[in-house]
Amino acid sequence: MTYKGVYRRVHNIAENLEAMNIPRNSRGLRIVGILCENRPEWLLTEFACITRNIVTLGLYAVQSFDSVGKLLEDTEVACICASAKYFQTLITLKEKGFLSHLRIIIEIDNLLEEERRIFQVPEIKFYSFRELLKSTPKLSELSKPSPDCIFTLCCTSGTTSSPKLAVITHRNMLGSLTSIIKGGYEFKSSDLCISYIPLAHLADRVLDYGIALGGGCLAFSSSDLVEFKHKIELHRPTILFTVPRVLNVLHDQIKNTIATKSKFKQRLFNAALRSKIEAYESKGTVKSSFWSNFAFKDCRLALGGRLRLVCTGTAPVNSEILRFIRIVLGCAVIHGYGLVEASVASACSRQYDNSYGHVGGPLPCCEFKLDQGEICIRGHTVFPGYYNAPSHTLDSDGWLRTGDIGTFVGDRKALKIIDRISNLVKLSNGAFVALESLEVAYQQSSFVSQVMVYGDTEHSQIVGIVVPDQKFVLKCWAPENQIPETISFEEICNTQQLKSAILNDLNEIAKANDFCEYQKIRVVYLETSLWTPFNILTPTQKLKRSQAYNRYNEVINNLYQELSQIK
């Protein structure tokens, strides 16, 4: 699809949306809810809404029905654009008594007749997306939004409480894009990026809009890692925007693959790694034609072989993993910081900055301060407040309290994120532990696919729940320890032998990081099933702690009983 084709489609969609006479809600807003996977129709619909000053509401299909239904009821959404993949969600919402304000359904794909029949009531009209693409006479002048008109309603992650709707204005969005471009992050017409983080999350949209401003190309994928890997091989991106969880998986896969190679190839890889680390730390360069074309060639080709920039954010990531990815892929890797309430782009490390352990300085459209350690942000990117919520979000001077603890490091005063305030736990011995920071560190273990650290005021030690890396356990650890191939992964996870091996490895990481005794995991429970956004992760792969604690309450109690016996 060319830019000229996009312009034509957006114009037609906008005119047809206007012709539908979308009802306004009690606040005078016309809102279009979008419930579909990442695909061109998502952005085409939003582009068209912008030209008509229509507000978009991106919906996560992985949220609970009650959460989605409440959002739709609170915002009085009258029009929903949905794909066939998620139409069953709408049916369930209707059966649960939601969608009382729904008047228009735009079906991106052709629905089955029985699906359409469920909504065939006089007050609801159906339109196909193909109808929206048809040319129509110009009905009226464009309803151009002003800078302070609402651009989109964006759902917060809900890691610590029920998700809220952040009001993002056009000023906020333009401030975010301007910050990125003025901050020195250039988008080129030769760039190709794959959109796979749910578009309902503002982070992916900010990058996609940046790619569009630079005249680059966008491809689309679901968040399923198997499909995403296939799309990478197919499209060979130049820019990769991903969440730390994917970088952790990539790091572990490379390490585990090397561990299965011959001793000579392992020594060669490690020698190349040491050489490039030395060049990187002394000169700040990750380019090396010999090593890149020899020892790391397969790693680069696995990601298409054209990457020039990897961007990550939305959650903490271990510094060593960032450095490893920079060196092996031979491209710039930047780590950003922001939150939905600040339109995502707030701070970012610079390309080819050879320091790490921070997220850079503030981007041009915002400023930072620390108030008793809490990061506060002010500027054009900061939102005006939550939808249908008391406006006590900003203080009288316009500062947004982020709920994150940070500090400024180095001569350039780069921002280092320590943890969420809600993740700082005081143990019974009076010591504070930063749970997420510990999880990021322990994630370095080759044994670990996912990890949750738990601590509370009733105990002086922390405990851990680990989802072992199945491939590493079965392909590397099990053969080395004479575990028969007939033994399943689930059976191996029940053995004390694997638990001891994992605890020993975690202890080595604790020593390498100079952890105090109360920061070390003494007992661990092994979970065999990966956590997903359908249970205790957010759509951007962050842990929803309250739900996780409820799920593993009995397990945690048993771990502390086991710990008391060890003492």
Side-chain angles (χ1 to χ4, degrees), residues 50-68:
I50 290 172
T51 70
R52 293 290 170 176
N53 198 16
I54 297 173
V55 179
T56 56
L57 169 60
L59 299 168
Y60 290 112
V62 295
Q63 286 178 308
S64 70
F65 293 118
D66 288 344
S67 293
V68 174

Side-chain angles (χ1 to χ4, degrees), residues 334-374:
I334 59 176
H335 187 199
Y337 167 74
L339 55 164
V340 170
E341 292 87 342
S343 308
V344 176
S346 298
C348 197
S349 57
R350 298 296 186 254
Q351 298 184 56
Y352 300 111
D353 180 355
N354 64 346
S355 62
Y356 46 92
H358 60 78
V359 293
L363 290 170
C365 281
C366 60
E367 55 184 329
F368 283 74
K369 74 172 183 178
L370 297 180
D371 185 357
Q372 296 183 326
E374 183 179 6

Side-chain angles (χ1 to χ4, degrees), residues 236-283:
R236 302 177 63 227
T238 62
I239 295 178
L240 177 64
F241 176 52
T242 188
V243 295
R245 161 76 182 136
V246 173
L247 292 185
N248 292 338
V249 170
L250 178 61
H251 168 267
D252 292 346
Q253 286 182 346
I254 293 173
K255 288 269 193 170
N256 296 344
T257 300
I258 295 301
T260 62
K261 301 293 184 181
S262 66
K263 294 294 183 183
F264 171 75
K265 288 186 177 181
Q266 289 183 42
R267 287 196 295 270
L268 182 66
F269 182 90
N270 291 330
L273 192 62
R274 286 194 299 271
S275 174
K276 288 195 71 174
I277 286 175
E278 183 179 340
Y280 171 66
E281 294 189 339
S282 61
K283 303 175 184 177

Side-chain angles (χ1 to χ4, degrees), residues 371-400:
D371 185 357
Q372 296 183 326
E374 183 179 6
I375 301 167
C376 300
I377 306 176
R378 182 171 67 179
H380 290 304
T381 58
V382 174
F383 79 147
Y386 297 109
Y387 190 87
N388 280 353
S391 56
H392 300 307
T393 315
L394 312 180
D395 69 16
S396 58
D397 293 321
W399 288 100
L400 168 69

